Amino acid sequence: MKTLAKVSAVWLVLVATAVAQMEMPKPGPEHKKLDIFAGSWTLEGDMKPGPMGPGGKMTESEKCEWMEGGFYLVCHSDFKSSMGNGSGISVMGYSADEKSYTYREFNSWGEFDDSKGSIDGDTWTWTSDEKMGGMSMKGKFTMKITSPTTYNFTFEMSQDGTKWTTVMDGKATKGK
């Protein structure tokens, strides 16, 4: 028994030494691209009438801050729309394994969104699989950066991933 305890103790010391010598991971250039979304934002949108509701205006205030370590941007939002008011929390990051950006959101309506993102020049595109009334749909949220403090957005849905219908569009403005 004493030999087993000594072997275990030596193993623990070796593991602790190896961990202490490992360099902590650092965010890559992909993470830095998300920095444009850090800060306080106001979104104003126009929801189109359709299966999701009667349409109307939508406003959202969002505050995004980097989580310690610089790998994830955490955003808290409050929104108002013709369908009701609510709040949400979202986390944006980058998956080196999947070579894509990630977006996960939870809101006070019990909804959950899990999107994959990409960037092409000044345009970010986030895609997801949505459930609507028991039916599977594709979602696409596009953000076109128009300046360091503004972007235009469009949210579209599709049953087959080829024919898209605009559900909402609008503009986001970064606060001072």
Side-chain angles (χ1 to χ4, degrees):
M1 231 17 178
K2 287 183 181 179
T3 304
L4 182 59
K6 286 181 185 178
V7 169
S8 294
V10 168
W11 183 81
L12 285 174
V13 168
L14 289 173
V15 168
T17 301
V19 168
Q21 291 176 357
M22 288 175 50
E23 189 174 321
M24 291 301 293
K26 291 182 175 42
E30 296 85 4
H31 295 95
K32 300 291 185 211
K33 290 180 182 180
L34 290 167
D35 200 43
I36 192 163
F37 301 116
S40 296
W41 290 86
T42 300
L43 286 77
E44 296 178 345
D46 182 31
M47 298 180 344
K48 311 302 181 193
M52 290 187 69
K57 298 294 180 192
M58 179 281 307
T59 59
E60 179 177 321
S61 60
E62 181 176 62
K63 183 175 183 183
C64 301
E65 299 177 313
W66 284 104
M67 178 186 283
E68 184 177 342
F71 288 96
Y72 297 101
L73 197 58
V74 179
C75 305
H76 295 268
S77 61
D78 292 300
F79 55 89
K80 296 179 181 176
S81 75
S82 57
M83 294 172 53
N85 303 337
S87 60
I89 185 169
S90 59
V91 180
M92 300 169 79
Y94 181 78
S95 170
D97 292 337
E98 296 182 26
K99 303 259 188 280
S100 72
Y101 288 90
T102 59
Y103 177 88
R104 291 184 173 92
E105 177 189 19
F106 306 87
N107 70 33
S108 59
W109 293 0
E111 297 171 330
F112 165 69
D113 184 36
D114 188 11
S115 299
K116 301 280 186 232
S118 62
I119 182 172
D120 183 12
D122 59 4
T123 302
W124 291 78
T125 303
W126 302 89
T127 57
S128 61
D129 291 317
E130 310 275 337
K131 294 282 186 196
M132 195 171 103
M135 203 164 67
S136 292
M137 303 282 285
K138 304 274 184 206
K140 180 168 59 172
F141 190 80
T142 306
M143 307 159 86
K144 176 152 178 65
I145 308 297
T146 54
S147 81
T149 59
T150 59
Y151 64 84
N152 295 328
F153 63 87
T154 304
F155 179 60
E156 300 168 280
M157 294 188 83
S158 172
Q159 289 182 336
D160 60 9
T162 59
K163 183 180 179 206
W164 295 91
T165 301
T166 300
V167 176
M168 177 175 52
D169 55 19
K171 182 177 181 177
T173 306
K174 194 174 198 176
K176 306 284 183 243

